[in-house]
Amino acid sequence: MKSYLYRRSEKFTVADKQRITTYESRFSKKYPYTYKDNNQKIYFCKKKVNIKLITIGKTDQSALQTLIEDYNKRLNFYIKFELEVIPDIKNVKNLSESSQKQKEGALILSKLTATDHLILLDENGKSFTSIDFSIELQKKMNSGIKTLVYVIGGPYGFSEEVYQQAKGKISLSSMTFSHQMIRLFFIEQLYRGFTILRNEPYHHQ
C-alpha cells in the first residue's frame, strides 16, 4: 500500500534529481496520495485515508460551533474529514449510568463498518505531544486503513462492547473538559497534525 522513496533532506546529484523526478512521475500515477513524515520521508499511498469523528449530542454553544466549523473546513483541505453527531438519548434521567452507556454504545457501533479503524478518546488512553500525534497519524495513513474513526463518548464514557471493538485509545489531557470543548480541541489537533506533516508554519515548538 505504500512505497518509501527518499528523504527530502538528502543531498542529490543532478543525475539523482532526474531519477527522482522520473520516480515521482511514475509512482504518483500508481500511488496518487503522498504523505511526508517528520524525518522528511515521502510516502506514496494507493488510497486516500478518510477520517471521521463521532460524537454524542449536538454542540449547543454557538462560539464553539463556529470554531469547529472553521477547523472542519481547514482540515478538509488536507483530507476527507467528516464530523458525525449522534443525537442525545431521550429521557436519560430515567436511565442508570450503565444503561446510558449501553444505549450510546449501540448507536456508536451502528455507525461503523467492518473496515473502520476505531480509536476512542478516553481518559485512560495514550497521551501524545502534537508532533508525536502527527507521526501517529502518518503511521495510520501508511498502514492502508480506509477510514480512521475517532469517537468522543458520552458523559460516562463507553460501553464494554465499544471498548472491545476499539483498536486503540488516546487521551488529550489528564485534565477534565466538557465533551463539547473536546470536539474543538481534537479537530484542531487533527488540523495541527497535518500542518506539521506538511511543514507548514502553524505549529511552533
Side-chain angles (χ1 to χ4, degrees), residues 70-175:
D70 178 48
Y71 279 103
N72 192 332
K73 291 178 182 177
R74 296 191 195 189
L75 187 53
N76 272 283
F77 176 78
Y78 302 103
I79 200 164
K80 184 178 179 182
F81 173 74
E82 178 186 358
L83 173 61
E84 183 164 358
V85 179
I86 295 175
D88 286 311
I89 294 176
K90 298 179 179 179
N91 302 318
V92 291
K93 292 182 179 180
N94 299 324
L95 298 176
S96 65
E97 292 183 14
S98 177
S99 296
Q100 184 171 341
K101 287 195 296 184
Q102 289 294 326
K103 287 181 176 293
E104 290 172 345
L107 290 172
I108 290 169
L109 294 176
S110 72
K111 302 296 182 181
L112 304 177
T113 68
T115 59
D116 288 345
H117 188 89
L118 177 62
I119 304 292
L120 307 179
L121 273 71
D122 186 275
E123 61 183 359
N124 296 315
K126 183 178 179 179
S127 297
F128 295 91
T129 65
S130 292
I131 289 179
D132 287 340
F133 182 58
S134 73
I135 295 172
E136 182 69 9
L137 283 173
Q138 180 70 73
K139 291 177 180 177
K140 297 295 185 185
M141 290 187 292
N142 292 338
S143 69
I145 293 170
K146 181 179 180 181
T147 304
L148 183 56
V149 179
Y150 293 95
V151 180
I152 300 173
Y156 303 119
F158 300 101
S159 66
E160 189 59 35
E161 290 79 6
V162 173
Y163 279 120
Q164 290 174 0
Q165 291 291 324
K167 300 296 190 298
K169 299 182 293 184
I170 65 172
S171 171
L172 288 186
S173 174
S174 57
M175 295 182 177

Side-chain angles (χ1 to χ4, degrees), residues 15-31:
D16 287 333
K17 291 180 180 179
Q18 291 175 345
R19 186 175 68 253
I20 287 169
T21 299
T22 301
Y23 282 164
E24 286 187 329
S25 176
R26 181 176 40 158
F27 274 85
S28 63
K29 294 177 182 179
K30 187 177 180 181
Y31 301 87

Side-chain angles (χ1 to χ4, degrees), residues 34-74:
T34 61
Y35 301 106
K36 180 164 56 179
D37 70 12
N38 242 32
N39 293 319
Q40 303 296 298
K41 286 183 179 179
I42 306 298
Y43 292 90
F44 292 78
C45 304
K46 282 185 176 180
K47 295 183 178 180
K48 194 169 185 177
V49 179
N50 300 317
I51 296 181
K52 178 189 287 189
L53 174 62
I54 297 175
T55 66
I56 304 289
K58 68 177 183 179
T59 303
D60 54 19
Q61 297 183 37
S62 59
L64 286 177
Q65 184 60 33
T66 298
L67 289 169
I68 288 171
E69 291 173 358
D70 178 48
Y71 279 103
N72 192 332
K73 291 178 182 177
R74 296 191 195 189

